Amino acid sequence: MNFNDYSNINAIRARGLSDVTFSNDQLNHFHDLIYEQVISAAVSKLSKEFGNPPSPFCFFVMGSAGRMEQSIWSDQDHGLVFKTNSNESQEYFLKLGKEIAEGLDLAGYKKCSGSVMASNPLWCKSLKDWENQLGLWVGVSSWESIRYLLIFADARTIYGDHSLLNILKEKAFDEVKREQLLLRMLHNTMFLKKGVGVLGQLLVETHGAFTGSINLKETAFFPFVNAARLLSFYEGIKETPTLSRISLLSDVVMPHQDKSLYSRNFSALLDYRLKHGSHRDYDSGHYVNINKLAKDEKKALKEILKVGEQFYEHVRKLLERK
Amino acid sequence: MDTVFLMNSLWVMISAVLVILMIGGFILLETGSTRMKNAGHIAGKTILTFGISSIVFWAVGYGLIFGEGNSILGFSDFFYSGYDIEGLGLSGAVFFLFQLAFAGISLTIAFGGFAERAKLSVYLVFALLFSVLVYPFIAHWIWGGGWLAEHGKQDFAGSTVVHLTGAMAALAATILLKPRIGKYNKDGSANNIEGHNQVFTALSVLLLWVGWFGFNAGSTVSVDGAFFGFVALNTNLAAAAGTVAAMLISWIVVGKADVPMMLNGALAGLVAITASCAFVDTWAAVVIGLIAGILVFYSIRFFESRKIDDPIFALSVHGTAGVWGTLSTGFFATPELATVGKPGLFYGGGFEQLGVQALGVVASGAFAFIVSYIILSIMKVAMKGLRVTEEEEIIGLDISEHGSYGYPELVNKEAAAKGSIEVTGTANVPLSSQHPSVN
């Protein structure tokens, strides 16, 4: 595989995108498809140059890709776990991670600014090292290590041996439960940007390129996503999409009508972003200019924001009571 | 010697010192609200321009304001030598120093509109011209027995004379200078160019707040009846109310308890009560401060939306609040306290005093703006531009105008870090904003 092949995938992505932009599900399956093509291309390139992979492995995505909640533009968040704990494997898979990160970049997915990528040794480890690392993260329980655990919670296999990631997830859930880290996790995600003011008005950016737009990512997505993620630790739910996490909750934790209220509104939010986001690039996809919204569209958005806050509060109270 | 004479002199001397210390407040205010690369320049030029203003005031300023003349301007008592002034009831030199301090404050306010882009030479020339051609006229009209004084214009300590005059010169300057590089985007949206030190800004407000006791309470120019205590109380109440109101309105409208806005609210309360502090009841001082705090919030948004880049909000804090403060006596002046002019609208005085106040605002504001605009326009041609070059503005006025940084270690480090960002392409994104991402 060479430069041109990844660019070809980018061209395919650009052509195919317009057919899937009306549905979050279809859009995310499409992103998965592009990822798979890039990863296979990278694997076959490495195989040609350095031989076949020395061990079974699992390549997983995190962040919005992990949750199947990517918008039209998306950046990279991924990691890799391999079974055989050896220097040879470490070297090989780090190379593979780098190749995939480069390939995805050429295919139109910006590299992660925080370097949460399989090209970074922190996110590319053998099963044993990963288990140690998760134990360490829980043990240290610093602000940063808790953040890593929260990122890891959204991991979803996209290529390779799914069982490897499953082992890690169970380990993570067990450790977090044992050390009772849920409250710390709650506090780590507690800062929320308000979307609706006390007078019931939408709170928009007052400065910068997005003046007059509301930041959907921080005001609307964060409460839902963070609340559902916390519950996934609480209940040991390995699924990553926010909607799946909500639907898999036991009725004891959350009554059925609440679950359906939160799901309905998050689902509406996903559609809303696709329909109203600017989508010129990665950043603009999170912003909606409220002056371009009809009255009922504004009302719908306020309802989503209100329910998101309610959901987060619900989870906060649940965890703080324990 | 007469004890009252001595006590008056002592009290006004203390007040003059407090007002001159306000220059220190303005140094912290202006540097804190702007960027590091201009800090040394801003601090230094503030001292320098106060120096210029002091000498001009001694040579001609005082004579133009308080000298014998007509209803437009005075024409005697130039190059004051320290003699006692008949009928004052306090030392002439102390009174002179007190008045000199006020002229310095007005000029310092005007320079707020020049911040972060005007040439040093422009500061020097305008300091001279403003001190001769702008401030003395308005001060004479209202305080020196000029035509507005004859109408009974109420401006106890200078909401109009000092603050509005300064703000109008700032407005002329900021219009002629145009916005700073990076303030506005191509689509017209404004960026927030954050000040480099909120602690400075907060401390500046405290310094100004305390200094204002000299400014307002000192304007009694006597200890008679200890009336200065009441004036100081009103001053404090208005500042307090302005602080709370600005914080609340910011929280209600934009959802943020914005610190710079809260600080601007305190200053707006102080500016507004400056005209009315001796003429209104304490409850009215609270109301005047509250309204000033709300007005300053909307005023800042208004000027920004009109593409008028006002780095330290001088137009809103001193201009808008100055106008409101001047008008406020037209509503709230009580019959007992209105020793100048008439009671306000709410005390059965009708619209008469309000009309006088409005006339004063319009005449003084228009005069200060037009004359400043003409002076600066001529300077623009004669001095080949008011503004430093783009390159100089980007590297900062510390280095371009003075050859050394106010924060040498920090600014150099920042420049080095910026260089590395361009090379590696990885900005220092705060961890909190990175992940878990939900793009």
Side-chain angles (χ1 to χ4, degrees), chain B residues 157-172:
Chain B
S159 284
T160 298
V161 176
V162 178
H163 295 280
L164 183 60
T165 303
M168 282 298 147
L171 177 62

Side-chain angles (χ1 to χ4, degrees), chain A residues 21 41 51 60 74 112 117 141 157 182 217 221 245 247 284 298 308 321:
Chain A
T21 52
F60 51 87
S74 181
C112 169
M117 294 186 292
S141 74
T157 307
L182 264 173
K217 179 172 169 168
F221 276 89
R245 282 171 167 166
S247 74
S284 63
K298 274 191 205 169
R321 215 181 304 135

Side-chain angles (χ1 to χ4, degrees), chain A residues 64 67 69-71 74-75 77 112 114 143 147 151 198 201 203 206-208 211 217 222 229 273 282 286, chain B residues 183 185 187 189-192 251-256 301 304 429 431-439:
Chain A
S64 60
R67 295 189 308 274
E69 288 157 12
Q70 290 175 98
S71 183
S74 181
D75 67 353
D77 297 291
C112 169
W143 190 88
R147 193 125 279 226
I151 296 171
V198 283
Q201 81 280 32
L203 294 174
T206 53
H207 289 93
T211 301
K217 179 172 169 168
F222 274 179
R229 186 189 297 113
R273 180 181 59 184
Y282 176 77
H286 301 308
Chain B
K183 177 63 193 178
N185 300 312
D187 65 357
S189 58
N191 295 312
N192 193 12
W251 180 71
I252 290 169
V253 177
V254 278
K256 273 193 293 196
R301 284 160 64 104
E304 190 166 77
V429 183
L431 196 58
S432 58
S433 72
Q434 285 175 16
H435 282 282
S437 82
V438 275
N439 47 311

Side-chain angles (χ1 to χ4, degrees), chain A residues 1 6 35-55 57 59 80 92-93 95-97 99-100 159-160:
Chain A
M1 203 83 189
Y6 293 124
Y35 262 69
E36 279 157 28
Q37 288 191 33
V38 169
I39 298 163
S40 331
V43 169
S44 64
K45 182 183 173 190
L46 266 261
S47 300
K48 252 182 235 159
E49 286 179 30
F50 305 101
N52 286 334
S55 150
F57 71 97
F59 185 90
L80 196 150
Y92 184 94
F93 287 110
K95 266 190 209 133
L96 178 62
E99 182 65 28
I100 293 172
Y159 192 96

Side-chain angles (χ1 to χ4, degrees), chain B residues 191-281:
Chain B
N191 295 312
N192 193 12
I193 302 183
E194 281 177 16
H196 86 277
N197 194 330
Q198 276 186 5
V199 179
F200 276 13
T201 314
L203 280 175
S204 82
V205 170
L206 186 72
L207 246 172
L208 290 165
W209 187 319
V210 173
W212 233 283
F213 295 133
F215 202 96
N216 285 1
S219 291
T220 53
V221 290
S222 94
V223 295
D224 185 28
F227 185 57
F228 57 78
F230 179 77
V231 174
L233 175 61
N234 270 352
T235 302
N236 197 83
L237 289 174
T243 312
V244 174
M247 181 56 108
L248 278 178
I249 192 78
S250 167
W251 180 71
I252 290 169
V253 177
V254 278
K256 273 193 293 196
D258 191 67
V259 172
M261 191 58 76
M262 174 197 77
L263 298 172
N264 285 324
L267 295 179
L270 287 164
V271 170
I273 201 66
T274 295
S276 45
C277 50
F279 305 127
V280 301
D281 278 338

Side-chain angles (χ1 to χ4, degrees), chain A residues 71 79 90 92 109 117 127 131 133 143 208 212-213 217 285 322:
Chain A
S71 183
Q90 177 72 60
Y92 184 94
Y109 298 89
M117 294 186 292
L127 185 61
E131 286 180 322
Q133 172 156 286
W143 190 88
S213 294
K217 179 172 169 168
K322 289 282 153 182

Side-chain angles (χ1 to χ4, degrees), chain A residues 243 257 259-269 303-304:
Chain A
L243 289 173
Q257 76 262 28
K259 288 202 292 187
S260 91
L261 172 73
Y262 302 147
S263 295
R264 204 168 55 237
N265 277 278
F266 188 70
S267 185
L269 175 59
E303 177 67 15
I304 292 170

